[in-house]
DNA sequence: TCAAGTTGTCTATGATACTAGACAACTTGA
DNA sequence: TCAAGTTGTCTAGTATCATAGACAACTTGA
């Protein structure tokens, strides 16, 4: 069968636009499996290779993700993550209509190096508790963070976090009613092997690395942490002014 | 120079869209000459042939018209031609901001065939006056019409029309103060050679063929006519309700 | 009448788009 | 373990897109 008209818009682009419209208007929900390439080819009356071209274009933009042997899936919308003074993972994720989850990976003892000592207002070598945790929205890992707290001020913080699975609740357990972000530094890197496994992320993908320190209402440092966000799953929003 | 990106939209289409936008927002006024093909090619950084492809697409849609040796011109906006009970060419054209003109081509005697006799309420073979006229907006021919009137009721109508060049005025000359459209039938056809010359239209172009009969306030038939409109120059508006 | 500038048409070449078929690699569920 | 279904990757052929150059046909204005 021949082209009926030369519209000046490539077939693969027409297919890609059609699928994108389907995603935008919810006909294909986030995380859902698209029809097979063959089926798409039939509905649009084009060759399977043309469909693959369309899907490749969508994949490059992060709208879909192909899994060999399984299917092509609609990528979850990037989580909008506003960077405000008051930054609570659970609140941000909940506001996005997702269920926030936290999962303890490891809690151990550590001692303050110079940077952490400066951030927390402690002496170098001061006893610390280091908490490794992964935080998820619904079932999707969003970030892994390494959090350091003073072992003197927050004794046994590791087992407390294992129970409450939320930094906000952990601090509340120690009588901290409120806290806010004192400083935030953002860089990017390639995910390392251990983080890749924890984030369920292929090797080679970029992560957003966030170094942050939270303080209480008297500006006393509470915790400092380094979080690694799967770049393709979040979008930081900086609020100016 | 190579393509900077594969957008899935053909270059000629991008050029065509750009020019069309220019026409739509008035950067290229109706009747105005577009830049030369070479100049357009330079501004869009494409080959002249690519520009020609774009212009051909626009010409096919009637937006521009190429004149060999001279240039490519923006076609006049299609004349909005409402089809109402009260249909006066001069009023419609005047309302569009154009100067209505009429030009007598031929006036001759005729006799009523069955159709015309029925439309005008005459007997078959009744004497008629047949007027061939072309009607223009500014200097652009819009339509040619063949009008039949009863020779008994409108004696010498041909020479009267030659003077007043308006059907409304002609009827007024015979004491008809007002009239309105009784019936309108619309079809389409390909322009014939004589009409093509009168409309200044290339052969092969479509025309809208309108058969209409006007009656006076007592519903007595006055004139019946067949008009051929250059399809690319008008746009009939049917007002519902 | 002539020169400059315009659109129209031809040939040619390379890049890209689309189709077609085959098979490999992988996942899933029975 | 196996069969069915999925995506990934080849090769190949045809059509369209885009570029390039040359010249014809025509219009315009000096």
């Amino acid at each position: 069968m021949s082209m009926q008209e030369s519209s000046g818009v490539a077939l693969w682009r027409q297919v890609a636009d059609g699928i994108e419209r389907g995603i935008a208007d919810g006909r294909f929900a986030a995380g859902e499996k698209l029809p097979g390439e063959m089926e798409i080819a039939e509905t649009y009356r084009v060759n399977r290779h043309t469909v693959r071209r369309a899907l490749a274009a969508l994949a490059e933009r992060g709208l879909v993700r192909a899994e060999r042997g399984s299917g092509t899936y609609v990528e979850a919308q990037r989580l909008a993550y506003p960077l405000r003074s008051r930054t609570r993972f659970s609140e941000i994720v909940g506001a996005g209509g997702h269920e926030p989850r936290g999962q303890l990976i490891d809690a151990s003892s550590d001692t303050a190096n110079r940077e952490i000592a400066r951030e927390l207002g402690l002496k170098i070598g001061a006893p610390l508790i280091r908490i490794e945790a992964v935080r998820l929205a619904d079932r999707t890992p969003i970030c892994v963070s390494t959090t350091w707290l003073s072992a003197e001020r927050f004794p046994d913080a590791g087992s407390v976090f294992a129970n409450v699975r939320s930094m906000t609740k952990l601090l509340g357990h120690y009588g901290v009613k409120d806290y806010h972000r004192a400083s935030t530094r953002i860089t990017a890197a390639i995910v390392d092997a251990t983080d890749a496994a924890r984030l369920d992320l292929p090797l080679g993908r970029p992560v957003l690395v966030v170094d942050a320190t939270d303080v209480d209402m008297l500006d006393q440092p509470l915790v400092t942490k380094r979080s690694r966000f799967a770049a393709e799953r979040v979008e930081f929003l900086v609020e100016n002014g």
Side-chain angles (χ1 to χ4, degrees), chain A:
Chain A
M1 146 172 229
S2 63
M3 292 271 295
Q4 64 257 28
E5 51 167 350
S6 181
S7 66
V9 179
L11 279 181
W12 67 263
R13 176 67 185 271
Q14 298 182 37
V15 174
D17 288 346
I19 295 172
E20 186 175 356
R21 223 174 307 123
I23 294 173
D25 64 23
R27 225 162 48 243
F28 302 126
E32 198 173 290
K33 186 164 140 185
L34 288 180
E37 293 172 353
M38 274 303 202
E39 189 177 339
I40 297 176
E42 279 165 18
T43 61
Y44 285 94
R45 311 270 178 90
V46 297
N47 192 275
R48 179 175 157 238
H49 292 293
T50 306
V51 172
R52 286 182 60 72
R53 181 87 158 83
L55 290 175
L58 294 175
E60 190 159 4
R61 293 176 44 205
L63 271 78
V64 302
R65 166 183 37 87
E67 288 189 3
R68 184 179 193 155
S70 172
T72 303
Y73 299 83
V74 178
E75 272 286 26
Q77 201 72 307
R78 283 191 178 185
L79 184 66
Y81 203 96
L83 296 176
R84 284 188 287 248
S85 168
R86 179 177 175 79
T87 296
R88 303 283 185 281
F89 181 82
S90 54
E91 291 178 8
I92 289 169
V93 171
H98 300 90
E99 190 194 346
R101 294 161 163 266
Q103 189 177 325
L104 177 65
I105 297 170
D106 182 54
S108 57
S109 297
D110 200 354
T111 54
N113 63 17
R114 214 181 65 194
E115 279 192 22
I116 293 178
R118 190 186 63 223
E119 289 292 335
L120 289 181
L122 302 174
K123 291 176 184 163
I124 293 178
L128 298 175
I129 290 172
R130 196 189 72 197
I131 296 175
E132 295 272 336
V134 57
R135 294 193 274 193
L136 309 88
D138 300 329
R139 274 174 204 80
T140 306
I142 299 299
C143 72
V144 290
S145 13
T146 307
T147 307
W148 288 273
L149 308 86
S150 163
E152 294 181 356
R153 174 148 185 205
F154 303 101
D156 215 11
S159 58
V160 173
F161 185 84
N163 284 331
V164 300
R165 294 214 292 246
S166 156
M167 196 53 64
T168 303
K169 288 177 183 165
L170 182 147
L171 294 174
H173 182 268
Y174 291 94
V176 177
K177 285 197 287 232
D178 203 2
Y179 62 97
H180 66 272
R181 183 61 48 91
S183 67
T184 305
R185 290 196 312 275
I186 304 172
T187 62
I190 299 298
V191 68
D192 66 34
T194 52
D195 282 350
R198 290 165 178 171
L199 289 172
D200 192 16
L201 203 61
L203 288 174
R205 296 298 178 89
V207 290
L208 287 157
V209 181
V210 178
D211 288 316
T213 298
D214 288 331
V215 298
D216 64 16
M217 305 321 283
L218 300 173
D219 284 337
Q220 293 300 309
L222 297 169
V223 302
T224 188
K225 56 191 162 189
R226 165 165 291 194
S227 307
R228 286 82 74 196
F229 287 77
E232 63 201 46
R233 294 176 195 157
V234 296
E235 194 168 47
F236 288 157
L237 303 179
V238 177
E239 319 211 324
N240 298 314

